[in-house]
Amino acid sequence: MATPHIGAAAGDFADIVLMPGDPLRARLIADTYLQGAVQVTSVRNVFGYTGLYRGKRLSVMAHGMGIPSASIYATELVRDYGVGTLIRIGSCGSVDASRLGLRDIVIAMGACTDSKVNRLRLLDHDFAAIADFEVLRTAVDTAARLGKPVRVGNVFTTDLFYGVQPQLLAVLKGMNVNAVEMETAGIYGVAAQYGARALAMLTVSDVIPTGEAMDAEARQNSFHDMMEIALETALQ
Ligand code: HPA
């Protein structure tokens, strides 16, 4: 039953799929955290795996970079493979170091965007791209139980990695939108359209106004914190 972008068989994916951007990160997650992980797709080298985490069947599959890529994989997972819950585990840029520092974890309750995808869905009206409340609540409770601080709030999903206008950063800060990334508003739109649950959690990998960025070790450690929250959330 392969789809144009996923080569898995029916039933190969668990009901919950964790989604990093990077296919090699998907492989690393499968190797590090899942028992008996089996690769279920590799079309375009966008890898997906299914295995067990503490006895629960979970999948991990990359979504690539940007809304169009993430929307394609999210749509096919939900619409064609019947996946019920998508949890994006990604990185983001901070708009203001005094509010969000390197390594901080942000849970995206909602996502603004400069992309038109949700306007295409809603006859050019605004769509409030929001996380699934139950998954959001579970993630926040799980983070608290694990003693890992998280910030919950609005993020901005941009189509421009390079060349974000300085005025935009000022406006985002003024509206208390403190993190910028490239997929969440699209994934939340797909989830709404096809009746799935979605949540994005993001680690701050860089501070946009200062150019400060995490080194490799910090990246690895903070990533582990976020993974633990995501995996334990998926268990609930
Ligand atoms: N912009 C967009 N996406 C990102 C960034 C950024 O600065 N950092 C991590 N993902």
Side-chain angles (χ1 to χ4, degrees), residues 12-88:
D12 274 354
F13 286 101
D15 186 53
I16 302 183
V17 181
L18 305 180
M19 303 195 80
D22 176 359
L24 293 179
R25 177 133 293 184
R27 172 177 289 171
L28 181 73
I29 292 167
D31 288 346
T32 309
Y33 300 101
L34 300 184
Q35 284 87 51
V38 172
Q39 184 175 300
V40 295
T41 182
S42 63
V43 177
R44 290 176 181 245
N45 288 327
V46 176
F47 306 123
Y49 304 85
T50 297
L52 295 178
Y53 176 72
R54 300 223 267 136
K56 173 153 181 169
R57 192 163 177 263
L58 290 184
S59 295
V60 53
M61 179 170 176
H63 59 48
M65 287 184 285
I67 285 181
S69 176
S71 299
I72 286 169
Y73 296 109
T75 299
E76 292 181 12
L77 285 173
V78 169
R79 185 191 64 186
D80 303 324
Y81 287 93
V83 169
T85 302
L86 304 173
I87 301 180
R88 161 162 154 72

Side-chain angles (χ1 to χ4, degrees), residues 91-93 158 161 180-182 205-206 208:
S91 62
C92 64
T158 184
F161 182 82
V180 175
E181 52 82 74
M182 300 188 70
S205 61
D206 52 285
I208 298 171

Side-chain angles (χ1 to χ4, degrees), residues 207-229:
V207 177
I208 298 171
T210 63
E212 199 187 356
M214 276 200 295
D215 61 27
E217 192 189 346
R219 234 173 238 274
Q220 203 52 45
N221 292 340
S222 59
F223 176 72
H224 180 76
D225 284 343
M226 182 173 63
M227 273 316 301
E228 225 183 310
I229 298 170

Side-chain angles (χ1 to χ4, degrees), residues 146-219:
L146 296 171
K148 298 187 188 300
V150 293
R151 288 281 299 267
V152 180
N154 216 343
V155 303
F156 188 83
T157 303
T158 184
D159 282 344
L160 277 182
F161 182 82
Y162 297 112
V164 169
Q165 302 293 315
Q167 315 89 284
L168 176 61
L169 295 182
V171 169
L172 291 177
K173 194 172 150 183
M175 293 292 283
N176 200 29
V177 180
N178 297 310
V180 175
E181 52 82 74
M182 300 188 70
E183 292 85 14
T184 300
I187 293 171
Y188 287 179
V190 168
Q193 182 174 357
Y194 294 101
R197 313 191 305 166
L199 180 71
M201 52 183 82
L202 310 160
T203 301
V204 177
S205 61
D206 52 285
V207 177
I208 298 171
T210 63
E212 199 187 356
M214 276 200 295
D215 61 27
E217 192 189 346
R219 234 173 238 274

